[in-house]
Amino acid sequence: MELWKAIILGILQGATEFLPVSSSGHLVLIPWLFGWDESPLIFDVVVHLGTLVAVLLYFWRDWLTLLRAGWTALRTRSTQDPDARLLLLIGLGTVPAALAGALLEDVFESAFSEPALVAAFLLVTALLLTVSERLSTANQSLSGLTVRDALTVGIAQAFAILPGISRSGSTIAAGLWRGLPRATAARFSFLLATPIILGAGGKQALDVVTGDAIVGQDMALPMVACFLSAALVGYACVWFLMRLLKERSLYGFAAYCAAFGTLSLLVALLT
């Protein structure tokens, strides 16, 4: 892969993994629109590692607190600590996407070869963001999150395995529907994303190790560039979104998804 393409791939993944506009949708549609060859699987591993580093760096204090609380809860066999309970709810919310990925992998993967379908799913993301803003009540706190709330957001994350359905968009939308304020819904969304990004990257890494992929020396620089661009842009986008949602709505992202989805759908239908 050329160096400039590797950088663009990293930027795309870093930005769209966390902004509610669908990373998988962009990684399907952008190369398709420009006629690029499919990127080697090793680059999928690298960009997932980059975005994992980004979200861990931003929320490292949160994760340190959660893991300490979880360890204490294991020793005392008590989940009275709100942080231990939140960690448990994050684990519970991860289950639907993990099951969907394991049981329906072939079904989901077939959608990646259909640009028109991916574009249509972007329109679904736009609808989800718009409706969630309409239904938002912002009367819930993260400490008051229930098992039902966590499962609802987790199920939304499972649907986001489909390319074009934004993971952050669907989970933030579900959080708003369950009464969380925007910034709080985004925080829970990103914490919930961490094990999923780790799992997806691990699965792809296993595919590389057990497959016939060959990593030549000429791929070293593009891989480093891809990782760095994904990590840096990913961190910047998490920082940006967490601040934006304290004061602004999701309507701008909904409009973008609608515009890009409509354009891509028209191109797919006319070619």
Side-chain angles (χ1 to χ4, degrees):
M1 177 180 286
E2 296 94 326
L3 180 60
W4 66 272
K5 283 186 181 179
I7 294 173
I8 291 176
L9 178 65
I11 291 173
L12 273 176
Q13 175 71 19
T16 58
E17 179 67 44
F18 300 117
L19 298 181
V21 294
S22 177
S23 61
S24 59
H26 281 74
L27 292 175
V28 170
L29 293 174
I30 294 296
W32 169 72
L33 286 169
F34 289 96
W36 296 352
D37 294 332
E38 185 177 356
S39 61
L41 181 59
I42 185 64
F43 282 90
D44 290 340
V45 177
V46 169
V47 293
H48 271 98
L49 181 59
T51 50
L52 177 64
V53 168
V55 75
L56 284 175
L57 282 176
Y58 190 90
F59 289 104
W60 71 269
R61 290 185 179 87
D62 296 70
W63 276 111
L64 189 59
T65 300
L66 290 172
L67 292 174
R68 282 175 174 169
W71 175 247
T72 301
L74 282 175
R75 289 191 293 108
T76 61
R77 297 182 181 180
S78 171
T79 56
Q80 296 301 311
D81 187 332
D83 290 318
R85 188 169 177 277
L86 178 58
L87 182 63
L88 184 63
L89 291 176
I90 290 172
L92 185 64
T94 303
V95 172
L99 288 176
L103 300 177
L104 301 172
E105 181 180 5
D106 293 339
V107 175
F108 289 126
E109 282 187 353
S110 64
F112 281 81
S113 61
E114 300 291 340
L117 186 60
V118 176
F121 282 140
L122 269 178
L123 299 180
V124 174
T125 293
L127 181 63
L128 287 173
L129 296 176
T130 302
V131 172
S132 68
E133 281 287 350
R134 297 282 186 178
L135 298 178
S136 176
T137 57
N139 60 1
Q140 175 73 288
S141 65
L142 203 57
S143 60
L145 207 66
T146 66
V147 168
R148 185 176 180 181
D149 296 331
L151 284 176
T152 299
V153 179
I155 291 169
Q157 181 167 248
F159 279 104
I161 298 176
L162 288 165
I165 303 294
S166 167
R167 193 215 60 79
S168 63
S170 62
T171 51
I172 292 172
L176 292 179
W177 180 53
R178 299 303 300 171
L180 293 173
R182 292 188 200 94
T184 305
R187 181 182 173 221
F188 185 66
S189 168
F190 291 140
L191 291 173
L192 196 64
T194 307
I196 287 297
I197 296 173
L198 177 61
K203 169 63 168 58
Q204 290 172 332
L206 183 62
D207 290 341
V208 170
V209 172
T210 58
D212 298 323
I214 298 175
V215 181
Q217 291 184 349
D218 60 328
M219 296 175 64
L221 182 58
M223 287 171 60
V224 171
C226 188
F227 167 79
L228 289 176
S229 56
L232 293 173
V233 173
Y235 185 93
C237 285
V238 173
W239 180 90
F240 168 74
L241 191 64
M242 290 298 295
R243 280 153 181 76
L244 179 76
L245 293 184
K246 290 179 180 179
E247 300 178 355
R248 301 293 181 88
S249 72
L250 295 167
Y251 289 130
F253 296 108
Y256 171 81
C257 288
F260 185 45
T262 300
L263 174 63
S264 300
L265 186 59
L266 287 174
V267 173
L269 295 176
L270 294 174
T271 55

